[in-house]
């Protein structure tokens, strides 16, 4: 059994110099990878574009887009692995990516988008843990995602709260397990949250 962890944002290119993305820094996912490696587990970290050092003992594979992330996860994940999806995957991508930088005169102010694959929902493996970064109705949304994506647990966090979510070194989250139980954790470092997540994953039969 190994851990496959996704982290950071994805970039969905419009042309070689423009893209759609989000402010994820990858800190939460890198902390999860580090926490699993600390226990001596094999860890594959599939990272979008981030400026972080690879944790010791972790095999890192860098990707750019959601489709690249999906392809690497599918290649790396075996049926009895644990998949922990912390990446802030872009839900949409431009329908086309221009081979050369678009000139202003070639753009008419509209951008056609198509849906990206849902990596966490589509992969099949023994155990899956996801994140729900929400701005409202946090627990309702988290419960729905846990059910729809077939997860063992979802880690819910309100990204509007200070010291939680994108870029912070701390996080305040709630664990919502598939049996319906909820555990609200106090504000703590992302590494401490990561160790709690890995402890839960280790306890899964
Ligand atoms: O974006 P959403 O709130 O649905 O994300 C919930 C979980 O699903 C997160 O763990 C995220 O990493 C994962 N996800 C994914 N692929 C997507 C969208 C989300 O793996 N395209």
């Amino acid at each position: 059994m190994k851990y496959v962890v996704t982290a950071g944002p994805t970039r969905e290119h419009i042309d070689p110099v423009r893209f759609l993305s989000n402010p994820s820094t990858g800190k939460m996912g890198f902390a999860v990878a580090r926490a699993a490696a600390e226990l001596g587990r094999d860890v594959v970290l599939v990272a979008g574009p981030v400026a972080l050092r690879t944790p010791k003992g972790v095999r890192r594979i860098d990707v750019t887009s959601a489709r690249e992330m999906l392809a690497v996860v599918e290649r790396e994940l075996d049926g009895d692995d644990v998949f922990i999806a912390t990446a802030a995957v872009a839900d949409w991508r431009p329908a086309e990516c221009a081979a050369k930088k678009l000139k202003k005169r070639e753009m008419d102010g509209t951008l056609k988008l198509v849906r990206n694959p849902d990596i966490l929902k589509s992969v099949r493996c023994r155990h899956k843990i996801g994140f729900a970064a929400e701005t409202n109705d946090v627990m309702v949304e988290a419960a729905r995602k846990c059910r729809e994506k077939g997860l063992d647990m979802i880690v819910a966090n309100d990204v509007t709260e200070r010291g939680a979510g994108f870029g912070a070194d701390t996080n305040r989250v709630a664990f919502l397990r598939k049996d319906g139980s909820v555990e609200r954790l106090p504000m703590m470092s992302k590494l401490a949250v990561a160790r709690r997540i890995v402890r839960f994953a280790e306890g899964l039969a």
Side-chain angles (χ1 to χ4, degrees):
M1 171 183 115
K2 69 173 184 297
Y3 282 74
V4 177
V5 182
T6 62
T10 64
R11 280 184 189 170
E12 311 299 330
H13 272 272
I14 298 164
D15 69 15
V17 298
R18 301 184 180 95
F19 54 79
L20 303 176
S21 193
N22 61 67
S24 171
T25 58
K27 284 180 182 171
M28 192 63 242
F30 275 57
V32 169
R34 174 177 162 183
E38 281 173 353
L39 297 183
R41 291 293 185 188
D42 272 353
V43 184
V44 178
L45 175 59
V46 187
V50 295
L52 295 175
R53 290 242 286 275
T54 310
K56 223 168 97 194
V58 168
R59 184 157 66 87
R60 170 176 173 179
I61 303 171
D62 287 325
V63 296
T64 303
S65 69
R67 285 187 298 172
E68 279 171 37
M69 188 173 271
L70 174 63
V72 172
V73 169
E74 281 180 336
R75 191 185 73 211
E76 293 293 331
L77 201 62
D78 281 331
D80 61 349
D81 290 342
V82 177
F83 181 49
I84 305 183
T86 75
V89 182
D91 291 316
W92 298 84
R93 67 176 184 275
E96 282 172 45
C97 174
K100 292 186 182 151
K101 183 182 172 187
L102 291 165
K103 306 277 183 249
K104 283 190 200 66
R105 62 174 183 278
E106 292 170 339
M107 303 165 93
D108 66 0
T110 61
L111 188 59
K112 188 166 185 317
L113 301 177
V114 292
R115 283 301 292 265
N116 263 334
D118 189 318
I119 302 168
L120 182 55
K121 191 172 179 177
S122 67
V123 297
R124 295 278 163 266
C125 64
R126 188 151 170 214
H127 294 301
K128 299 200 281 187
I129 297 172
F131 274 70
E134 307 293 343
T135 57
N136 53 285
D137 300 330
V138 178
M139 297 311 277
V140 174
E141 284 300 305
R144 182 179 59 77
K145 289 174 186 182
C146 189
R147 199 176 51 246
E148 287 180 4
K149 302 188 192 216
L151 310 183
D152 296 282
M153 178 169 86
I154 193 150
V155 181
N157 74 290
D158 182 341
V159 291
T160 62
E161 193 182 349
R162 262 182 77 172
F166 293 133
D169 288 315
T170 52
N171 213 352
R172 198 163 73 82
V173 302
F175 287 173
L176 204 150
R177 304 189 191 90
K178 76 170 171 209
D179 64 6
S181 64
V182 174
E183 187 182 356
R184 291 176 196 276
L185 305 184
M187 183 78 75
M188 54 175 77
S189 71
K190 284 187 172 172
L191 184 57
V193 172
R195 287 181 176 138
R196 296 284 285 263
I197 294 168
V198 170
R199 201 197 302 165
F200 171 80
E202 291 288 314
L204 292 167

